[in-house]
Amino acid sequence: MNPLSLEQYHPRDYLSITSLVKASRCMRMAYYSGQGLGSAVEAAALVFGSAIHAGIPHAFLGDIPKAMEMFEKIWNPELQDGKRNLDRAKIMFADCALTYNNQKIFELIKPPSDARIITNDQVNDWEILFALDIGLPIPLAGRMDGIGVNLSGFTTTSGKKGLWVLEYKTSSEVSGRLAACCEYNPQTIGYALALSQVQQEYEVIGTCYVFLRVSEKNTETILHPVLIKEYHYQDFLGWSRDIGSKILGAEETGIFPKNISACSPYPMFGSPGYLCNYLPLCKDTPNWEEMAGLYERSTKRFDLFETQ
């Protein structure tokens, strides 16, 4: 296998859950991502999701007007459709607030003052940015949507108050199937591990997902807490070190093999589903650069630095 050109490739100065997952699926996907290749079209689902993320903390606090104010700072009205618009956002925030108050699984709190890593790309003041040493030359970096003090019946082993990582997900499907996919999951475990390292006041007991349905008519919010066990952390560290080492090795050699079993879910799991976004670059040409013009190059990255 011939090495690929690294002329426009951006070597990673940190790893993320997303980059690790992409590389574990297919090293060529990691290469295209390192080239900054993405969709040239602004996806309504992504922008709407980011806008909802910005307003959720205020919905938890019962301030729907403020939630909408934060939403409108990000949302592009030109992208609106039947299920992604101002009216649907307001209804979603109201349902989110009702579910939060009725279930009382956690109480939203601001990040601890000793959180060490910040970025200039925060969506709201409740996010926590981190860089975690996982035993590789570069750290694992990421951004948690928020944290909440435990109010449920789950207990801690240390006697400290329990703390949840909060992860917000907008989806057309809100179901037990979706929740099951988040149980034994790199983000679920990795973010809880990171939170246990950036603060010592609380005992981290797991990750609580907040699922919000995106629909023209149906409104639904589900809080789904996932307890993390100590051996899950070891599983995550073994996986992240293995995949991270492969990424760094590929960046040295320029060898990023294609995993043709990962182009769709069917060869992997026996069920049809979404195709890889980069499939045309692998399938339709022997030279991916001939079709690179179909994608937009992005240089956006986290700006990581330690607070003083």
Side-chain angles (χ1 to χ4, degrees), residues 277-292:
N277 187 47
Y278 299 119
L279 181 59
L281 300 181
C282 295
K283 172 178 173 286
D284 297 336
T285 175
N287 179 9
W288 70 270
E289 291 181 302
E290 294 178 347
M291 300 184 68

Side-chain angles (χ1 to χ4, degrees), residues 173 175-182:
E173 176 181 345
S175 64
R177 182 174 69 166
L178 174 61
C181 290
C182 296

Side-chain angles (χ1 to χ4, degrees), residues 87-107:
D87 290 338
R88 290 304 304 164
K90 188 173 183 179
I91 293 172
M92 289 170 65
F93 285 139
D95 187 71
C96 181
L98 182 64
T99 303
Y100 170 75
N101 288 317
N102 286 344
Q103 296 194 14
K104 293 183 170 55
I105 293 176
F106 61 84
E107 178 184 3

Side-chain angles (χ1 to χ4, degrees), residues 108-125:
L108 179 72
I109 63 171
K110 287 286 186 73
S113 59
D114 62 347
R116 296 189 298 273
I117 302 296
I118 61 176
T119 181
N120 62 7
D121 189 35
Q122 285 175 281
V123 172
N124 60 57
D125 294 335

